[in-house]
Amino acid sequence: MSVPVARAALLQPLEETSWPERTTVVIMGGGPVGLSAAIMLAQRGVEVLVLERRNFDYRFPRAHLLNVRTMEAFHDMGIADDIYALGPQNERWRKVAWYTTVSGSGAFDGMKIGEVPAWGGGADAVRYAEASPRAFANLPQLRLDPLLYAHAVATCPGRIRGMQEVVGVEQSADSVTVTVQDRAAGVTRCVDAQYLIAADGGRASAELLGVEMEGPRDIRESISYHISADLSMWSEPDALLTRFFHPAYGPRPRATLQALGPDTYDRTSREWLVGIAPELIAGDPDDEEIVKTAIRASLGMPADSAITIHSASRWFLNGTVARQFRVGRAFLVGDAAHKHPPTGGLGLNGGVQDVQNLCWKLAAVLSGHASDALLDSYELERRPIAAYYTAHSLENANRHAPIGAALGFDARDEAAGWEGLETFVSESPEGVAMRKRVGEEVDENALDYSQLGVEAGFRYWAGAFAPDGTTPAEDAGAVAYRPTTRPGSHLPHVWLTNSSEGDDTHVTSTRDLVQATGLTLFTSDAAQTAWRDAVLAVGSPMPIQILAVPRTEEAWAAVREIGDDGAVLVRPDATVGWRTDRLPHDPAGALRDAVAVILRGGDAPAVDPAETFLVRVRAAATTLAA
Ligand SMILES: Cc1cc2nc3c(=O)[nH]c(=O)nc-3n(C[C@H](O)[C@H](O)[C@H](O)COP(=O)(O)OP(=O)(O)OC[C@H]3O[C@@H](n4cnc5c(N)ncnc54)[C@H](O)[C@@H]3O)c2cc1C
C-alpha cells in the first residue's frame, strides 16, 4: 500500500551513516507515540533523534480507533487527511454488536444479542460533529505506523534510526547520556541529549530510570490472530467489532472479531483480527491447524472455510500507571507510562495526547520562553488522566460479562445457558423481561463506545494553567461532553463563519486558530484594542497572538462563558490556560500573572487526583481477574 507523504524536511538532514555525539531530544522507541513526538518537536524546530530497537517492520494490527482529540493532534501534524484517505471510505463501521456465532445450523447460531452505535455513528453523529472539527477515524496500526514512519522520516531526515536499542541512561544536571546498542553493526555508542523521551512501550525505560509501575499486571491473557477469511455468509451488515457468547463458555465473550479492511470494514472485509481466550485452543497455539480449528469453532464458521493466518500476538491485560512521569531530564510517555486493556481504545490515543502535552512545553523551555519548572506540569497533568483512562478501560472490559450473565450463561452449567437462549427468544413474560435486561446491559456499553465525555471532555486538575476560582461543573460522566472554557479544559470547538481577516465565507474551527508555538488570546472585536495594549505591556516571554472574534459569532458567544470584553488564553495544545469574564481593572497585570503561572507550570495539588482512579483500577482489575 503506498503512503501519500509529501512533506518538506523540517530539520537539517543527517547522514544515515553519521552519528551525532549530541542532540537536543533523544526519543527511545519508534512506535506511534515516539514517532508522533518526533514530528511534533521537529515542527517546532527541535532537533531529535529517534532510536528504535527493531527495524520498522509492521506485522500486527493492534490499535485502530483514533478519537477526535487524537485526530486534532494528527491534523496539526499534517497527517489527518492521509489517515482518513487510508481508512474506511463509508460509514459502515461505526457499530459494535454481540452475537452467538457468525453462522451455523444450530437453532441459536448466527443470532444477534444486541448492538450499539459506536465512535460517532448513528444517533451519536451530531454530538461528535459538534464536539470537534475532526471526525473519529479507524486505521489499524499495521497501516497507521508506516504512515507515521514515512512522515517522521520526511520531516526528520536521517534522524529516525532502526535497529538501535537503548540499553543505558545516565543523567547529569544539564544532560542525559544514552548508551545505544547498534543491533545491525554490532557496536555500542553513546549519545548526549538535553532531554530523553522514553516511548519504548514499557519494555525497558521503567527499569533504566528506576520508575515503579503502580497497579495490577498480567490480569488475564489473550491471543489475537490477524487472518484473512471470507465471512460474507454472516447476516450482520456493518459491525466493525463483534463479541461472541456461547453457553459452554459462561458469561464472558469467548471470541472477538474486528474487521480490518483494507477496502471495506463490514462483513465484506478481507482481513480480520480474531481474539480468543487461550484456553479455547486445544493444543499448541503456534500450530496453525489447531488455531484455525479453534477460530472456526469460536466464530461458528463452516468446518471447511479457508483461513490464512498472517500473524499472532499473545498479550496480557494490564492496569499499570508509572509512579513518576518525569525523572530528571527523562519523560515517560505512551505505553511506557501507562498500560491498560484495549477496551475503550485509549492506549495509543492517550499516548499521542501525552506527547501533545509534553512537546510544546519542551519547545518552550528549549527556546527560553519558559523555565524548566514548566516540564513538571507534564506529570501533574497527564498522570491523573492516565490513571483515569486505565480505570475506565478496565471497567469497559467488565461490561461484557453482565450481558452473558443476563442471558443466564454460567461457566459451571452449560445447560442453563441453552435454557437462557430459549427464554431469550420466547414470547413468554420471562422472555420479554430477559430481553429487557439484556438490552440494558448492552446499552451500558455506551460508556465505552459513545464515551465522548472521556475522550473529549477530560480536564486537568492541576498544572500549567491559572485557576479562575470557579468550581468545575458536576461531572458529566463518560458519555456526555460539555464544552467549557474553565482553565485546564480543552478549548471548545465552534466553526467561525466570519474570520478576523474579514472574509465572510471563511469557516474555521476555533481549535485550528490556536498557535503551535505561542499563546493565543481569544477576545472579541469590542475589546481587542484594550487587550492588544495589555499584551504589548506584558512583554510575555512566550509570544501571545490576539484573536478578536466578531461579536456576531453566536456559536462562540454560546460556549465562551465570558463577556464581550473578557478573554480566554489558550496554550499550544488547545488547553485553556486562563480566562477572565471582563476586562480587568489592570489587564496587563492580570495577563502577566496568568502567563507567569502557565510558564512555571502551576502548583501541585494538595491531594493527588490520580489516587481516586487508582482505587477504581484495583477494583476493576479484581473483577476482571475473577
Ligand atoms: C489487540 C490490541 C488492540 C488495541 N487497540 C487500541 C485502540 O483501538 N486504540 C488505542 O488507542 N490503543 C489500542 N491498543 C493499544 C496500543 O496498541 C498501544 O497503546 C500503542 O501501541 C502504544 O504506543 P507506544 O508508541 O507507546 O508503544 P509501542 O507501540 O509499544 O512502541 C514502542 C516501541 O519502542 C521500541 N523499543 C522498546 N524498547 C526499546 C529500547 N530499549 N530502545 C529502543 N526502542 C525500544 C519497540 O520496539 C516499539 O517499536 C491496542 C493494543 C492491542 C494489543
Side-chain angles (χ1 to χ4, degrees):
M1 183 173 301
S2 66
V3 171
V5 177
R7 211 138 289 283
L10 297 170
L11 298 181
Q12 281 295 327
L14 198 63
E15 281 289 325
E16 284 283 355
T17 47
S18 81
W19 275 92
E21 282 179 13
R22 196 170 168 75
T23 189
T24 309
V25 178
V26 160
I27 300 174
M28 167 186 181
V33 175
L35 293 175
S36 295
I39 297 169
M40 290 177 192
L41 288 171
Q43 281 179 324
R44 292 171 167 90
V46 177
E47 215 178 81
V48 297
L49 185 66
V50 174
L51 302 171
E52 163 57 51
R53 66 181 288 278
R54 293 178 305 144
N55 209 3
F56 297 104
D57 51 344
Y58 302 101
R59 278 168 299 155
F60 199 69
R62 298 179 82 198
H64 56 116
L65 301 166
L66 305 171
N67 67 39
V68 297
R69 292 269 301 245
T70 300
M71 289 310 295
E72 287 175 23
F74 282 156
H75 172 83
D76 294 346
M77 288 158 60
I79 65 171
D81 288 345
D82 290 346
I83 291 173
Y84 291 127
L86 283 180
Q89 296 304 302
N90 60 38
E91 291 297 297
R92 297 188 54 193
W93 59 277
R94 297 181 197 264
K95 189 214 274 188
V96 174
W98 291 263
Y99 269 79
T100 51
T101 58
V102 161
S103 67
S105 54
F108 301 111
D109 280 329
M111 189 172 85
K112 185 186 285 188
I113 291 160
E115 66 173 52
V116 289
W119 318 299
D124 280 337
V126 171
R127 64 190 195 96
Y128 271 69
E130 281 171 2
S132 173
R134 309 281 104 78
F136 207 112
N138 171 44
L139 190 66
Q141 261 182 265
L142 198 61
R143 295 171 204 129
L144 173 70
D145 287 354
L147 183 63
L148 279 165
Y149 174 70
H151 275 268
V153 167
T155 51
C156 319
R159 294 166 190 278
I160 312 293
R161 302 284 176 94
M163 300 300 281
Q164 307 298 324
E165 181 165 1
V166 174
V167 292
V169 178
E170 275 181 38
Q171 302 203 45
S172 68
D174 54 9
S175 71
V176 51
T177 305
V178 293
T179 307
V180 191
Q181 210 155 53
D182 186 328
R183 299 173 78 200
V187 297
T188 300
R189 54 177 75 86
C190 289
V191 180
D192 276 355
Q194 293 188 53
Y195 294 101
L196 168 70
I197 294 181
D200 65 321
R203 198 171 190 280
S205 54
E207 199 178 321
L208 290 176
L209 295 166
V211 173
E212 190 191 330
M213 302 300 290
E214 292 185 270
R217 64 181 69 218
D218 300 347
I219 303 166
R220 201 170 257 279
E221 193 184 11
S222 194
I223 308 189
S224 303
Y225 296 94
H226 172 200
I227 66 164
S228 287
D230 179 1
L231 293 183
S232 55
M233 82 291 276
W234 190 11
S235 59
E236 171 56 49
D238 50 11
L240 180 79
L241 186 62
T242 306
R243 291 177 205 274
F244 296 88
F245 291 105
H246 192 273
Y249 195 66
R252 288 182 198 282
R254 66 174 180 175
T256 303
L257 182 67
Q258 177 204 322
L260 282 175
D263 313 307
T264 53
Y265 289 77
D266 50 44
R267 68 178 165 201
T268 61
S269 173
R270 286 186 278 131
E271 297 177 30
W272 301 88
L273 188 74
V274 184
I276 45 181
E279 60 267 29
L280 291 173
I281 299 169
D284 180 1
D286 295 326
D287 181 316
E288 284 214 355
E289 286 315 311
I290 289 176
V291 169
K292 287 179 187 173
T293 303
I295 291 174
R296 287 187 197 106
S298 304
L299 299 181
M301 292 166 70
D304 59 351
S305 22
I307 295 178
T308 308
I309 299 178
H310 302 296
S311 60
S313 169
R314 297 182 80 117
W315 52 282
F316 282 91
L317 280 74
N318 292 298
T320 52
V321 179
R323 201 176 274 281
Q324 292 158 276
F325 277 31
R326 176 182 190 179
V327 182
R329 297 184 156 266
F331 301 88
L332 286 89
V333 297
D335 274 19
H338 40 81
K339 268 197 175 167
H340 45 69
T343 34
L346 295 167
L348 187 153
N349 286 293
V352 171
Q353 290 159 28
D354 286 343
V355 291
Q356 189 192 28
N357 181 291
L358 177 63
C359 289
W360 76 266
K361 294 174 181 173
L362 276 171
V365 171
L366 286 163
S367 60
H369 291 158
S371 72
D372 180 86
L374 174 63
L375 299 175
D376 287 337
S377 70
Y378 165 65
E379 175 176 310
L380 276 186
E381 294 180 352
R382 293 305 300 174
R383 189 168 164 276
I385 297 295
Y388 169 31
Y389 277 13
T390 303
H392 187 71
S393 303
L394 288 163
E395 288 160 359
N396 283 342
N398 283 329
R399 291 187 222 284
H400 302 281
I403 301 174
L407 282 164
F409 286 17
D410 179 344
R412 291 152 307 181
D413 186 358
E414 181 178 343
W418 291 112
E419 276 169 35
L421 286 176
E422 296 277 2
T423 310
F424 185 69
V425 296
S426 86
E427 287 309 321
S428 64
E430 291 79 16
V432 173
M434 182 186 262
R435 283 196 292 281
K436 181 167 179 289
R437 259 196 330 276
V438 169
E440 284 165 1
E441 294 299 351
V442 165
D443 290 347
E444 268 295 293
N445 285 272
L447 293 169
D448 178 346
Y449 302 115
S450 298
Q451 55 176 6
L452 192 56
V454 174
E455 294 162 350
F458 70 75
R459 66 184 163 85
Y460 297 132
W461 284 266
F465 55 89
D468 66 351
T470 56
T471 42
E474 201 184 321
D475 184 4
V479 174
Y481 164 62
R482 197 186 289 143
T484 175
T485 56
R486 190 170 180 274
S489 307
H490 198 42
L491 174 74
H493 147 75
V494 295
W495 294 111
L496 298 179
T497 49
N498 299 317
S499 79
S500 53
E501 294 124 49
D503 172 1
D504 279 0
T505 57
H506 202 75
V507 177
T508 314
S509 167
T510 39
R511 300 242 175 93
D512 294 339
L513 294 168
V514 172
Q515 300 302 300
T517 50
L519 299 167
T520 310
L521 189 86
F522 282 78
T523 185
S524 80
D525 47 0
Q528 62 175 317
T529 309
W531 282 111
R532 186 147 290 134
D533 291 346
V535 167
L536 286 174
V538 167
S540 163
M542 195 170 191
I544 301 176
Q545 174 162 327
I546 296 187
L547 216 111
V549 182
R551 272 159 294 170
T552 46
E553 292 287 357
E554 289 173 11
W556 172 240
V559 295
R560 67 187 184 188
E561 299 175 325
I562 56 165
D564 273 348
D565 58 353
V568 179
L569 188 62
V570 183
R571 311 182 331 191
D573 60 354
T575 299
V576 175
W578 172 73
R579 70 176 175 180
T580 176
D581 182 33
R582 302 258 160 254
L583 189 71
H585 172 67
D586 174 12
L591 188 59
R592 187 178 295 113
D593 291 349
V595 170
V597 175
I598 294 168
L599 297 185
R600 71 171 163 73
D603 302 308
V607 179
D608 178 4
E611 262 319 305
T612 323
F613 299 114
L614 291 170
V615 170
R616 274 170 57 182
V617 166
R618 287 186 278 271
T622 305
T623 307
L624 194 56

